[in-house]
Amino acid sequence: MTGFNTLPPRILTRIFEYLFWTGVCGKDQAERLVLPIGQYEVLACLKVSHAWRKRAAGLFYRTALVSVGTNDTVHTLGGTCHVRTNIRLILESGYAPKTTRLVLVVDAEPDKLAKCLLASEFVGYEWPSINTLYFYHPQNYEVRPSSLNQNKAIDDVNQYLLASMPNLKHIYALSGTSDSFGLFALDDLINVRMPYLKTLTVVAQGALKLGFHGHAQRLRHLTMHTVAHALDYSEPSGSSNDETNCSLQTHVLLSVPRVHAESLVLLDIGPIAPTNIWAPFFGTNEASNVPDLNTLPNFLCLRKLRLVFGVQALRSEDRHMHRASKHRNSPGPETSVGIYPLFPQLESLTVEQYPYNILLFLENFPRGQLLHLKLYKCLHHFYELSLCVFSRLQSACIDIPEAPHASKEQDEETWISRTFGVSTLRSLSLRASAAHQVDLPSTYQLHCLQNLDLSIGMRSVEVEKLLVELKHLRSLRVTITEVLSKTHEYLSRSIRPKKYTKSKYTRVLSTTLEQLTICLVDLAASRQRRALAKTAWLAARVPSLLSLHTQQEHLQVLASCINNVQANKQAPVDARHLSNMRLCTILL
């Protein structure tokens, strides 16, 4: 214990923060919200020593916790309530005026939440310093309320929270329920506090119709998301017309509150309709210099933008028209999206599932100043897109859709070849819809690249070429797949220039690579063993390598191959660094 007491205060604080902040998510792992729900883990640290108490007390007492539906019980005049809380400890310690956060974990119906708020002693005291609310509704069950009692309980909960937190400015909410009561405790609270909020993050793991009223004039960070659900509008199996079979990914489209665009720094919303994207936002009247609902928006401070588009469920009378349509591409953003605002400080742009011409859509953003670009499932006119027009682009994460005609491998290789000519990139991630084998270009211009993720099919011999060409690479992830045919393999090797000398097995491939990830997909058992053996010898020629990652089922074979390399006394390379290298598991 003496050694722990001598730890620097900064390290102690980081350890307690790691215990304190916990990431939670619902059914969709992509939507993750970090909550400070580790109070009771930190509570044990308060009893270790005076030094530990001094560092952990701020985390524990500055966060009020009310967890409804736990095994802990509190006895009141109205009965027993299942609630876990630290409110009494905070009140008795005198930290209440300094408490800045409320964590509300709800695993019960609205009427039980109202009773537990009263039993926790949070209600009845005005918390002047609480400016942040973390709301978490973890379960996914159907609530069947008796309307009168539950509606009154919902009103009581909102009134309790409004009266207890008069200076609330930041709200983070995650709901895992599939019914309309998942965010019941926030409806009136958000609507009343909307003019004063600076941060609003609402993620619903069910297909809910999120819609908050009010006008946000000071909001800086807005994140609102719901989960999609699929509806199949297919003809009966006996139908002979293949074009009439249509499976649509439909969404409960998001309803965004009215927001003053000029105050936003981060905007992350979806799923939204691809028309009238900017209708909920308003700008500032130039004459009076005050926010005006009728003024066109300009996002003067926006730095990070993420837009997730959705397809609205069709009515029965519209389905025939949708199936008969052969041209779903929009002629341009003027008719599909509407008026576009200005983004003078935009640095990061993420677009997901845009259903029209992605090339024209991106022209409405300042491509010359973007530093980070992410495109997911943007199908239309994708292969006409060139990243060279993004002159300052530093990182790109692109989903490569499947080409619509027979020459899809050739189209993918041509597009990848153009992308490998963007010299400003420092991080690049390319993911293909199908793991078929694709040839990489013969020349690279990625002189500054440090992180590369190629989730596209490639041969194991291509990995060596990547390490030789990319001098500053620190992290590399590749997917090894089966070669299409012996003829394809022979032609690919014949047309490539031989840059390596006879002593190529003795040369060091990279002095900067620290992490290498190898994924094997659709390989025969004999080729898997061969690819892993090549990977082991590849790692022996990278003295800077710290960790090697592969799938769980291949980890034992890879370890055996590395042991064979280390035991080979006649090996042409120095493989002593392999004894310090970590073998790790990845999940596809």
Side-chain angles (χ1 to χ4, degrees), residues 528-581:
Q528 289 179 4
R529 176 78 185 190
R530 183 180 177 184
L532 293 173
K534 288 183 178 181
T535 302
W537 281 104
L538 200 70
R541 299 164 61 191
V542 184
S544 59
L545 195 62
L546 300 179
S547 61
L548 181 59
H549 303 247
T550 189
Q551 293 107 305
Q552 177 66 40
E553 60 268 23
H554 304 314
L555 204 61
Q556 185 175 358
V557 178
L558 181 58
S560 175
C561 294
I562 291 177
N563 292 333
N564 294 337
V565 173
Q566 290 177 297
N568 191 343
K569 302 301 182 181
Q570 299 180 352
V573 294
D574 186 0
R576 288 179 295 180
H577 65 279
L578 294 180
S579 59
N580 298 323
M581 185 184 66

Side-chain angles (χ1 to χ4, degrees), residues 133-428:
L133 169 64
Y134 293 92
F135 178 87
Y136 179 38
H137 200 303
Q139 295 299 322
N140 187 14
Y141 60 85
E142 293 291 337
V143 178
R144 296 179 176 84
S146 57
S147 57
L148 293 179
N149 294 335
Q150 299 292 357
N151 288 337
K152 182 180 184 304
I154 291 174
D155 293 337
D156 292 342
V157 169
N158 282 275
Q159 292 300 321
Y160 294 159
L161 296 178
L162 281 171
S164 301
M165 299 181 293
N167 298 316
L168 188 63
K169 296 179 181 179
H170 311 278
I171 296 179
Y172 303 87
L174 174 62
S175 172
T177 62
S178 59
D179 54 69
S180 59
F181 287 92
L183 297 169
F184 60 87
L186 302 180
D187 292 340
D188 293 340
L189 177 66
I190 291 179
N191 291 332
V192 173
R193 296 298 305 172
M194 186 68 76
Y196 312 101
L197 287 180
K198 292 185 177 180
T199 304
L200 176 59
T201 298
V202 180
V203 178
Q205 298 296 340
L208 304 182
K209 183 70 173 180
L210 294 181
F212 300 106
H213 305 288
H215 301 149
Q217 300 184 9
R218 304 179 184 179
L219 203 61
R220 295 177 59 85
H221 298 83
L222 174 61
T223 301
M224 295 182 68
H225 281 277
T226 61
V227 173
H229 65 286
L231 293 180
D232 189 7
Y233 294 143
S234 300
E235 293 291 334
S237 57
S239 176
S240 60
N241 189 359
D242 293 335
E243 291 185 0
T244 60
N245 294 331
C246 179
S247 180
L248 295 178
Q249 185 72 14
T250 61
H251 303 73
V252 175
L253 297 183
L254 194 68
S255 178
V256 181
R258 299 301 305 272
V259 180
H260 187 213
E262 296 182 9
S263 63
L264 283 173
V265 177
L266 182 147
L267 178 59
D268 184 354
I269 54 177
I272 58 175
T275 56
N276 297 324
I277 300 173
W278 316 114
F281 305 94
F282 58 91
T284 301
N285 191 311
E286 295 182 0
S288 59
N289 198 26
V290 295
D292 186 3
L293 297 177
N294 299 320
T295 304
L296 296 179
N298 284 319
F299 294 84
L300 302 182
C301 300
L302 192 66
R303 295 183 179 273
K304 186 175 181 180
L305 174 63
R306 179 187 176 211
L307 300 174
V308 181
F309 294 93
V311 180
Q312 197 169 17
L314 300 179
R315 297 175 300 175
S316 57
E317 57 267 22
D318 296 335
R319 295 174 190 171
H320 178 73
M321 296 177 60
H322 180 84
R323 293 169 184 151
S325 176
K326 297 182 179 180
H327 303 285
R328 296 187 60 209
N329 295 354
S330 167
E334 292 79 13
T335 59
S336 64
V337 180
I339 300 174
Y340 273 75
L342 298 178
F343 302 89
Q345 298 191 41
L346 189 64
E347 297 178 352
S348 176
L349 175 62
T350 302
V351 181
E352 299 184 25
Q353 304 177 37
Y354 184 66
Y356 302 126
N357 190 331
I358 186 61
L359 194 64
L360 294 178
F361 183 74
L362 292 178
E363 289 181 357
N364 295 274
F365 298 94
R367 296 173 295 176
Q369 72 183 39
L370 285 179
L371 302 179
H372 312 283
L373 176 66
K374 295 181 181 180
L375 299 178
Y376 302 108
K377 299 180 182 179
C378 299
L379 308 180
H380 297 288
H381 297 265
F382 173 83
Y383 290 98
E384 301 175 17
L385 175 65
S386 175
L387 298 185
C388 297
V389 298
F390 300 87
S391 57
R392 297 180 56 194
L393 195 63
Q394 295 182 5
S395 69
C397 185
I398 309 294
D399 267 357
I400 304 177
E402 188 172 355
H405 43 77
S407 60
K408 56 184 180 182
E409 287 83 4
Q410 183 178 357
D411 291 343
E412 289 183 7
E413 293 176 1
T414 302
W415 191 89
I416 293 173
S417 179
R418 292 201 310 264
T419 303
F420 272 51
V422 184
S423 59
T424 59
L425 283 175
R426 295 184 180 180
S427 177
L428 177 61

